[in-house]
Amino acid sequence: MKTETQAPARSERIAIRNILVMTDFSPRSEAALNYAAGWARKMGATIHVAHFIRPALFAVAWDAYGPLMEKVREDGRAGLAAIDARPDLQDVPHTTYLDPVDILDGLKGLIEAQHIDLVVLASAARKGLGKVLLGSTAETVFRSVPNPVLMLGPRVRLPEKTPEVRTLLFATDFGPATARAAMFACSLAQELQARLYLLHVLPLPGVENAPRKSEVAVAERQLGALVPAGAASWCEPMPLILAGDPSVEIVKATDATQADLIVVGTRRPPRLPAYTGWATAYQVLHESPCPVLTVRE
């Protein structure tokens, strides 16, 4: 994994006050809402639940467009009304939105108007993030939204009750997003009172199949520099240095540490669709048994 020098992490904490949850009323979207609700209770946040209708998908025939769209709107209103009336959400401030607009335009408007700090959604992709819940937009949201995004990938086990984050795994390549992502990971661990692991994956050194001790020592020092001063008063961050393919090792570490959440930093969105710089994040999102929080540089 590429390494770059990073300044020590600052001690300020990240505030999450407004959480936007995208829903299509499926069980996986309901699970995403459950995660958001659990975090909102602990952080004193407000949940904004949005269901987006893409009119172009239903414009198959002009004479049928009006009645079909009205049925879609009616279903959307009914779904949001059911969410609004959920007994388990009555102790959480929440608002619902039905938007018959392009999803990215609608997201941008809601994010700006409601000062959104975190976007939450679920993917049901079978192969890669291109075929997803919410039409084909989860990958687009992941690539385009500047806010941190919490995504439930297709392999995430859906909890039967409000999920708890007891163990958090922060994986970093020491790239440009490291400082901001580390700040989020440490703040979340503190807010959620979770155990915190700090992971860096070194490339395999060839036939030796193990990194040199000097490389491990350097990586451990870099990980330690990301921990805010005073963190020992609420947790004891534990460094993990592994070697191999980053996406594979991150998923393995998730199982080994029994992590309930992965936090990773991501670079700015690539201009070229074929750009492979986000391959690790995509693969982790698809393979992880727990939700993944991506934090952009």
Side-chain angles (χ1 to χ4, degrees):
M1 300 177 76
K2 183 178 179 180
T3 60
E4 298 183 20
T5 302
Q6 294 292 322
R10 295 172 289 177
S11 59
E12 63 260 35
R13 293 168 62 179
I14 298 297
I16 296 179
R17 295 291 176 258
N18 290 283
I19 303 173
L20 175 59
V21 183
M22 298 174 63
T23 183
D24 65 356
F25 312 121
S26 68
R28 301 197 70 81
S29 284
E30 292 296 303
L33 179 56
N34 290 340
Y35 272 93
W39 288 23
R41 289 188 188 94
K42 292 191 175 183
M43 301 177 189
T46 297
I47 296 177
H48 305 264
V49 185
H51 176 63
F52 294 96
I53 300 171
R54 292 186 292 174
L57 293 181
F58 303 97
V60 292
W62 184 256
D63 57 349
Y65 179 77
L68 182 57
M69 277 302 298
E70 182 52 39
K71 178 63 168 62
V72 171
R73 288 173 185 265
E74 181 181 334
D75 291 344
R77 287 191 291 265
L80 291 176
I83 288 175
D84 189 52
R86 278 176 48 167
D88 60 326
L89 290 182
Q90 299 314 301
D91 64 333
V92 180
H94 61 278
T95 306
T96 59
Y97 306 86
L98 180 65
D99 285 322
V101 296
D102 176 79
I103 288 179
L104 288 184
D105 290 340
L107 270 179
K108 181 179 179 182
L110 276 176
I111 287 171
E112 293 177 353
Q114 303 302 329
H115 307 289
I116 299 299
D117 303 300
L118 175 68
V119 177
V120 180
L121 74 159
S123 164
R126 299 298 183 203
K127 297 180 180 179
L129 289 177
K131 298 178 180 179
V132 293
L133 197 66
L134 303 165
S136 58
T137 62
E139 180 179 354
T140 304
V141 171
F142 169 67
R143 293 163 62 100
S144 304
V145 172
N147 305 65
V149 176
L150 177 67
M151 185 177 292
L152 278 64
R155 299 185 186 276
V156 172
R157 297 179 290 269
L158 301 186
E160 296 181 357
K161 57 183 181 179
T162 302
E164 295 284 340
V165 175
R166 297 184 179 89
T167 302
L168 189 154
L169 176 66
F170 170 57
T172 180
D173 63 355
F174 301 122
T178 296
R180 185 169 183 238
M183 197 183 306
F184 256 89
C186 292
S187 288
L188 282 175
Q190 184 171 7
E191 292 283 355
L192 302 174
Q193 293 297 293
R195 178 180 301 174
L196 176 62
Y197 287 91
L198 310 174
L199 170 65
H200 177 64
V201 181
L202 293 166
L204 283 174
V207 295
E208 299 175 15
N209 287 327
R212 293 188 293 271
K213 290 183 178 180
S214 59
E215 294 177 314
V216 173
V218 169
E220 287 181 341
R221 286 196 297 271
Q222 288 179 292
L223 289 175
L226 298 173
V227 179
S233 65
W234 49 268
C235 81
E236 185 178 350
M238 290 164 279
L240 288 176
I241 309 298
L242 302 176
D245 179 87
S247 60
V248 173
E249 296 304 321
I250 291 172
V251 173
K252 286 183 179 178
T254 303
D255 289 329
T257 61
Q258 297 185 323
D260 304 300
L261 176 70
I262 300 173
V263 177
V264 295
T266 57
R267 299 173 183 270
R268 296 182 186 277
R271 295 183 178 181
L272 299 177
Y275 176 72
T276 59
W278 284 23
T280 296
Y282 282 144
Q283 194 65 26
V284 171
L285 279 166
H286 183 252
E287 299 293 338
S288 172
C290 68
V292 177
L293 175 65
T294 57
V295 181
R296 283 259 301 274
E297 61 176 296

